[in-house]
Amino acid sequence: MSTTPLKIAIQKSGRLFEESLKILKDCGISIDNGHDQLKVRARNFPLEVMYLRNGDIPKYLRDGVADIGIIGENLLIEKGEELEIVERLGFSKCRVSLAIPKEQELNGLGDLEGKRIATSYPNTVNRFLEQEGINAELHMISGSVEIAPNIGLADAIVDIVSSGSTLFKNNLKEVSTILESEAVLATSPQIGSAQRELLAKLLFRLRSVLKARDSRYVLLNAPNEKVDAIIKILPGMRSPTVLPLAEEGWSSLHTVIEKDKFWQIIDELKAQGAEGILVCPIEKMVL
């Protein structure tokens, strides 16, 4: 008796596509992606992948056509605010920002009163303007929003920003961030109980991968009299592993720390006598 697969929607092209497939692969899920296929079944996990237009994913989730979807949080806020986020995935980070021509100045958000704003995110911008008590004229544009001020269509734009290079090329500058965004895993309100069980298994794998990406395995050598002081410095798991070295009076310490914290403590470790510090990536981390 075959298991009804968990149906996941991912972007069929664009900035989320490659990373979405990569994180599924890192979860040990094998997907044979045929040319122009819009739906494919994983070989070793009850998962069916649906390749959709990014803007259509919230509707497919809402209607129960897909059980879960990988989507940018910014689009979820714009088109599917009621959909539940079950995991933040840490890639495709960007922000939705307000930008104006470089030669202009914005002394405060009140300067937007009565101005024309071009955007592909009207719901997000309307909520922002309402919160700030600003009346502005919105121009809905699909595609190259950055051109709007240059052709006299708008005084400002609101769009997604990653590096800011597109704004720079179009003689614009970022003046305010409306929201921060990253890829998230969202669920359909109509997901069934059998699919929720499969989702729990997928989440277990995802969280193991994400924890590993954010962590590093650290090995170091230290004089025995310094071990206690070094253990107090390490912000790792419950307790580091301490092993005696062949050289008398020395030990090797093994632990896991968050990758972003390593450089904050490296000088302290060296000051306490740590030597031969080795930092390694972790493929999977099951807690």
Side-chain angles (χ1 to χ4, degrees), residues 84-133:
E84 180 187 1
I85 294 173
V86 292
E87 192 64 41
R88 297 181 178 277
L89 302 177
F91 59 83
S92 291
K93 292 187 177 182
C94 64
R95 54 199 178 274
V96 177
S97 293
L98 173 73
I100 62 174
K102 287 180 184 177
E103 65 275 10
Q104 296 183 13
E105 293 298 328
L106 190 75
N107 298 315
L109 292 176
D111 288 354
L112 296 173
E113 184 72 26
K115 300 295 185 181
R116 299 165 300 162
I117 303 174
T119 187
S120 299
Y121 300 93
N123 296 329
T124 301
V125 178
N126 273 324
R127 281 193 295 268
F128 169 72
L129 293 175
E130 187 176 333
Q131 289 169 3
E132 297 295 333

Side-chain angles (χ1 to χ4, degrees), residues 10 16 88 93 97 112 115 136 154 182 203 209 225 228-229 258:
I10 69 171
L16 272 72
R88 297 181 178 277
K93 292 187 177 182
S97 293
L112 296 173
K115 300 295 185 181
E182 64 181 285
L203 283 172
V209 169
E225 65 270 17
D228 289 342
E258 293 178 29

